Short mmCIF file of all heavy atoms in Angstrom, two decimals:
data_model
loop_
_atom_site.label_atom_id
_atom_site.label_comp_id
_atom_site.label_asym_id
_atom_site.label_seq_id
_atom_site.Cartn_x
_atom_site.Cartn_y
_atom_site.Cartn_z
N ILE J 27 143.71 102.15 96.83
CA ILE J 27 143.40 100.82 96.28
C ILE J 27 142.84 99.87 97.34
O ILE J 27 142.51 98.73 97.00
CB ILE J 27 144.64 100.20 95.61
CG1 ILE J 27 145.66 99.76 96.66
CG2 ILE J 27 145.26 101.16 94.62
CD1 ILE J 27 146.83 98.97 96.08
N TYR J 28 142.72 100.31 98.58
CA TYR J 28 142.32 99.40 99.65
C TYR J 28 140.88 99.67 100.11
O TYR J 28 140.44 100.81 100.20
CB TYR J 28 143.27 99.53 100.84
CG TYR J 28 144.68 99.10 100.49
CD1 TYR J 28 145.69 100.04 100.36
CD2 TYR J 28 144.99 97.77 100.27
CE1 TYR J 28 146.98 99.66 100.02
CE2 TYR J 28 146.27 97.38 99.93
CZ TYR J 28 147.25 98.32 99.80
OH TYR J 28 148.54 97.94 99.45
N ASP J 29 140.18 98.58 100.43
CA ASP J 29 138.81 98.66 100.93
C ASP J 29 138.78 98.88 102.44
O ASP J 29 137.91 99.60 102.94
CB ASP J 29 138.06 97.38 100.57
CG ASP J 29 136.64 97.37 101.11
OD1 ASP J 29 135.81 98.14 100.59
OD2 ASP J 29 136.36 96.60 102.06
N ARG J 30 139.72 98.28 103.14
CA ARG J 30 139.78 98.44 104.60
C ARG J 30 141.14 97.96 105.10
O ARG J 30 141.89 97.31 104.36
CB ARG J 30 138.67 97.62 105.29
CG ARG J 30 138.79 96.12 105.10
CD ARG J 30 137.59 95.38 105.71
NE ARG J 30 137.74 93.93 105.61
CZ ARG J 30 137.42 93.22 104.52
NH1 ARG J 30 136.96 93.84 103.44
NH2 ARG J 30 137.58 91.90 104.51
N VAL J 31 141.44 98.29 106.34
CA VAL J 31 142.67 97.84 106.99
C VAL J 31 142.29 97.18 108.30
O VAL J 31 141.58 97.78 109.12
CB VAL J 31 143.64 99.01 107.25
CG1 VAL J 31 144.90 98.52 107.96
CG2 VAL J 31 144.01 99.71 105.94
N GLU J 32 142.74 95.95 108.49
CA GLU J 32 142.45 95.18 109.71
C GLU J 32 143.73 95.07 110.53
O GLU J 32 144.78 94.72 110.00
CB GLU J 32 141.93 93.80 109.35
CG GLU J 32 140.69 93.82 108.47
CD GLU J 32 140.34 92.46 107.89
OE1 GLU J 32 141.21 91.56 107.91
OE2 GLU J 32 139.20 92.29 107.42
N VAL J 33 143.63 95.34 111.82
CA VAL J 33 144.79 95.26 112.71
C VAL J 33 144.46 94.29 113.84
O VAL J 33 143.56 94.53 114.65
CB VAL J 33 145.15 96.65 113.28
CG1 VAL J 33 146.38 96.53 114.19
CG2 VAL J 33 145.42 97.64 112.15
N LEU J 34 145.18 93.18 113.86
CA LEU J 34 145.05 92.18 114.92
C LEU J 34 146.16 92.43 115.93
O LEU J 34 147.34 92.28 115.63
CB LEU J 34 145.17 90.77 114.34
CG LEU J 34 145.22 89.62 115.35
CD1 LEU J 34 143.87 89.48 116.05
CD2 LEU J 34 145.58 88.31 114.65
N LYS J 35 145.78 92.83 117.14
CA LYS J 35 146.78 93.19 118.15
C LYS J 35 147.05 92.03 119.10
O LYS J 35 146.15 91.29 119.46
CB LYS J 35 146.30 94.42 118.94
CG LYS J 35 146.47 95.73 118.16
CD LYS J 35 145.71 96.87 118.78
CE LYS J 35 144.24 96.81 118.40
NZ LYS J 35 143.49 97.98 118.83
N GLY J 36 148.32 91.91 119.48
CA GLY J 36 148.73 90.83 120.36
C GLY J 36 149.56 89.81 119.61
O GLY J 36 149.86 89.95 118.42
N ALA J 37 149.97 88.73 120.28
CA ALA J 37 150.77 87.68 119.67
C ALA J 37 150.03 87.09 118.47
O ALA J 37 148.86 86.74 118.56
CB ALA J 37 151.08 86.59 120.69
N THR J 38 150.71 86.98 117.34
CA THR J 38 150.04 86.61 116.10
C THR J 38 150.23 85.15 115.71
O THR J 38 149.69 84.71 114.71
CB THR J 38 150.57 87.48 114.95
OG1 THR J 38 152.00 87.30 114.84
CG2 THR J 38 150.27 88.94 115.21
N GLY J 39 151.01 84.41 116.46
CA GLY J 39 151.29 83.02 116.09
C GLY J 39 150.05 82.16 116.01
O GLY J 39 150.00 81.21 115.23
N LEU J 40 149.02 82.44 116.79
CA LEU J 40 147.82 81.63 116.81
C LEU J 40 147.08 81.65 115.49
O LEU J 40 146.53 80.64 115.04
CB LEU J 40 146.89 82.10 117.94
CG LEU J 40 145.53 81.38 118.06
CD1 LEU J 40 145.76 79.91 118.42
CD2 LEU J 40 144.67 82.07 119.11
N LEU J 41 147.06 82.81 114.83
CA LEU J 41 146.21 82.98 113.65
C LEU J 41 146.98 83.25 112.36
O LEU J 41 146.46 83.01 111.27
CB LEU J 41 145.22 84.13 113.87
CG LEU J 41 144.27 83.95 115.06
CD1 LEU J 41 143.43 85.20 115.24
CD2 LEU J 41 143.37 82.74 114.86
N THR J 42 148.20 83.75 112.43
CA THR J 42 148.91 84.16 111.21
C THR J 42 150.27 83.51 111.07
O THR J 42 151.06 83.94 110.24
CB THR J 42 149.08 85.69 111.18
OG1 THR J 42 149.92 86.10 112.27
CG2 THR J 42 147.75 86.39 111.27
N GLY J 43 150.57 82.50 111.85
CA GLY J 43 151.89 81.89 111.77
C GLY J 43 152.89 82.65 112.63
O GLY J 43 152.54 83.55 113.38
N ALA J 44 154.15 82.28 112.51
CA ALA J 44 155.19 82.92 113.33
C ALA J 44 155.23 84.41 113.06
O ALA J 44 155.11 84.87 111.92
CB ALA J 44 156.54 82.29 113.03
N GLY J 45 155.37 85.19 114.11
CA GLY J 45 155.42 86.63 113.94
C GLY J 45 155.75 87.31 115.25
O GLY J 45 156.00 86.68 116.27
N SER J 46 155.77 88.64 115.22
CA SER J 46 156.12 89.42 116.40
C SER J 46 154.94 89.48 117.36
O SER J 46 153.82 89.09 117.05
CB SER J 46 156.53 90.83 115.98
OG SER J 46 155.43 91.50 115.39
N LEU J 47 155.21 90.00 118.53
CA LEU J 47 154.20 90.07 119.59
C LEU J 47 153.31 91.31 119.48
O LEU J 47 152.33 91.41 120.21
CB LEU J 47 154.88 90.05 120.95
CG LEU J 47 155.72 88.80 121.27
CD1 LEU J 47 156.41 88.97 122.62
CD2 LEU J 47 154.87 87.56 121.26
N GLY J 48 153.68 92.26 118.61
CA GLY J 48 152.93 93.51 118.57
C GLY J 48 151.57 93.39 117.93
O GLY J 48 150.54 93.47 118.58
N ALA J 49 151.56 93.18 116.62
CA ALA J 49 150.30 93.13 115.88
C ALA J 49 150.57 92.69 114.46
O ALA J 49 151.72 92.63 114.02
CB ALA J 49 149.60 94.49 115.89
N THR J 50 149.50 92.41 113.73
CA THR J 50 149.56 92.15 112.30
C THR J 50 148.65 93.14 111.60
O THR J 50 147.51 93.35 112.01
CB THR J 50 149.12 90.71 111.96
OG1 THR J 50 150.08 89.79 112.48
CG2 THR J 50 149.02 90.51 110.46
N ILE J 51 149.16 93.76 110.53
CA ILE J 51 148.38 94.72 109.74
C ILE J 51 148.00 94.05 108.42
O ILE J 51 148.87 93.62 107.66
CB ILE J 51 149.20 95.99 109.47
CG1 ILE J 51 149.56 96.67 110.80
CG2 ILE J 51 148.42 96.95 108.57
CD1 ILE J 51 150.54 97.82 110.64
N ASN J 52 146.70 93.92 108.18
CA ASN J 52 146.20 93.28 106.97
C ASN J 52 145.53 94.34 106.09
O ASN J 52 144.51 94.92 106.48
CB ASN J 52 145.20 92.17 107.31
CG ASN J 52 144.69 91.46 106.07
OD1 ASN J 52 145.39 91.34 105.07
ND2 ASN J 52 143.45 90.98 106.14
N LEU J 53 146.09 94.60 104.92
CA LEU J 53 145.52 95.56 103.98
C LEU J 53 144.70 94.80 102.95
O LEU J 53 145.23 93.97 102.21
CB LEU J 53 146.63 96.37 103.29
CG LEU J 53 147.43 97.30 104.22
CD1 LEU J 53 148.73 96.62 104.64
CD2 LEU J 53 147.74 98.62 103.54
N VAL J 54 143.39 95.08 102.92
CA VAL J 54 142.46 94.37 102.05
C VAL J 54 142.14 95.23 100.84
O VAL J 54 141.57 96.33 100.97
CB VAL J 54 141.16 94.00 102.80
CG1 VAL J 54 140.22 93.23 101.89
CG2 VAL J 54 141.49 93.20 104.05
N ARG J 55 142.51 94.75 99.66
CA ARG J 55 142.33 95.52 98.43
C ARG J 55 140.86 95.55 97.99
O ARG J 55 140.07 94.69 98.35
CB ARG J 55 143.20 94.94 97.32
CG ARG J 55 144.69 95.00 97.62
CD ARG J 55 145.52 94.45 96.48
NE ARG J 55 145.21 93.04 96.23
CZ ARG J 55 145.75 92.33 95.25
NH1 ARG J 55 146.62 92.91 94.43
NH2 ARG J 55 145.44 91.06 95.08
N LYS J 56 140.52 96.56 97.20
CA LYS J 56 139.18 96.68 96.65
C LYS J 56 138.90 95.53 95.69
O LYS J 56 139.80 95.02 95.02
CB LYS J 56 139.02 98.01 95.91
CG LYS J 56 139.06 99.23 96.82
CD LYS J 56 138.95 100.51 96.00
CE LYS J 56 138.88 101.73 96.91
NZ LYS J 56 138.83 102.98 96.11
N LYS J 57 137.65 95.12 95.62
CA LYS J 57 137.23 94.03 94.74
C LYS J 57 136.24 94.55 93.70
O LYS J 57 135.52 95.53 93.92
CB LYS J 57 136.57 92.92 95.57
CG LYS J 57 137.48 92.32 96.65
CD LYS J 57 138.71 91.67 96.04
CE LYS J 57 139.52 90.90 97.08
NZ LYS J 57 140.12 91.79 98.09
N PRO J 58 136.16 93.88 92.54
CA PRO J 58 135.19 94.29 91.51
C PRO J 58 133.76 94.10 91.98
O PRO J 58 133.47 93.23 92.81
CB PRO J 58 135.51 93.37 90.33
CG PRO J 58 136.88 92.83 90.60
CD PRO J 58 137.01 92.78 92.10
N THR J 59 132.86 94.90 91.43
CA THR J 59 131.43 94.80 91.76
C THR J 59 130.67 94.24 90.56
O THR J 59 131.11 94.33 89.42
CB THR J 59 130.87 96.18 92.12
OG1 THR J 59 131.10 97.09 91.03
CG2 THR J 59 131.56 96.73 93.36
N ARG J 60 129.49 93.66 90.83
CA ARG J 60 128.68 93.07 89.76
C ARG J 60 127.94 94.12 88.95
O ARG J 60 127.41 93.83 87.88
CB ARG J 60 127.69 92.07 90.36
CG ARG J 60 128.37 90.84 90.95
CD ARG J 60 127.36 89.84 91.48
NE ARG J 60 128.02 88.64 92.00
CZ ARG J 60 128.34 87.59 91.25
NH1 ARG J 60 128.05 87.60 89.96
NH2 ARG J 60 128.93 86.54 91.79
N GLU J 61 127.87 95.33 89.47
CA GLU J 61 127.23 96.42 88.75
C GLU J 61 128.26 97.51 88.47
O GLU J 61 129.23 97.68 89.23
CB GLU J 61 126.07 97.00 89.56
CG GLU J 61 124.95 95.99 89.81
CD GLU J 61 123.82 96.60 90.62
OE1 GLU J 61 123.97 97.77 91.05
OE2 GLU J 61 122.79 95.93 90.81
N PHE J 62 128.05 98.25 87.39
CA PHE J 62 129.00 99.29 87.02
C PHE J 62 129.01 100.39 88.08
O PHE J 62 127.97 100.83 88.56
CB PHE J 62 128.62 99.90 85.66
CG PHE J 62 129.52 101.04 85.26
CD1 PHE J 62 130.76 100.79 84.69
CD2 PHE J 62 129.12 102.35 85.46
CE1 PHE J 62 131.60 101.84 84.33
CE2 PHE J 62 129.94 103.41 85.10
CZ PHE J 62 131.19 103.14 84.54
N ALA J 63 130.21 100.83 88.44
CA ALA J 63 130.36 101.94 89.38
C ALA J 63 131.65 102.68 89.04
O ALA J 63 132.65 102.06 88.65
CB ALA J 63 130.43 101.43 90.82
N ALA J 64 131.61 103.98 89.15
CA ALA J 64 132.79 104.79 88.85
C ALA J 64 132.79 106.04 89.72
O ALA J 64 131.73 106.56 90.08
CB ALA J 64 132.81 105.19 87.37
N SER J 65 133.98 106.49 90.07
CA SER J 65 134.09 107.71 90.87
C SER J 65 135.41 108.39 90.56
O SER J 65 136.39 107.75 90.17
CB SER J 65 134.01 107.39 92.37
OG SER J 65 135.12 106.60 92.78
N VAL J 66 135.40 109.71 90.72
CA VAL J 66 136.60 110.53 90.57
C VAL J 66 136.70 111.44 91.77
O VAL J 66 135.71 112.08 92.16
CB VAL J 66 136.58 111.35 89.27
CG1 VAL J 66 137.81 112.26 89.21
CG2 VAL J 66 136.53 110.46 88.05
N GLU J 67 137.86 111.48 92.38
CA GLU J 67 138.08 112.30 93.57
C GLU J 67 139.26 113.24 93.31
O GLU J 67 140.31 112.81 92.83
CB GLU J 67 138.40 111.41 94.77
CG GLU J 67 138.89 112.14 96.00
CD GLU J 67 139.50 111.20 97.02
OE1 GLU J 67 139.15 110.00 97.02
OE2 GLU J 67 140.36 111.66 97.81
N ALA J 68 139.05 114.50 93.60
CA ALA J 68 140.12 115.49 93.46
C ALA J 68 140.21 116.29 94.74
O ALA J 68 139.18 116.57 95.39
CB ALA J 68 139.86 116.41 92.27
N GLY J 69 141.41 116.64 95.13
CA GLY J 69 141.58 117.40 96.36
C GLY J 69 142.82 118.28 96.32
O GLY J 69 143.73 118.05 95.52
N ALA J 70 142.81 119.27 97.17
CA ALA J 70 143.96 120.18 97.29
C ALA J 70 144.07 120.59 98.75
O ALA J 70 143.08 120.61 99.50
CB ALA J 70 143.78 121.40 96.40
N GLY J 71 145.29 120.89 99.16
CA GLY J 71 145.51 121.27 100.55
C GLY J 71 146.69 122.19 100.71
O GLY J 71 147.23 122.73 99.73
#
């Protein structure tokens, strides 16, 4: 369901409010498109 994952490393208080010193993980969800699009993915392992 995600379009991309952004990882901001280092102290996060400057940009994301109070937080730990390690990093912030931002999961960005997929957004609708103005044109029709569809896909099906199947896999086995």
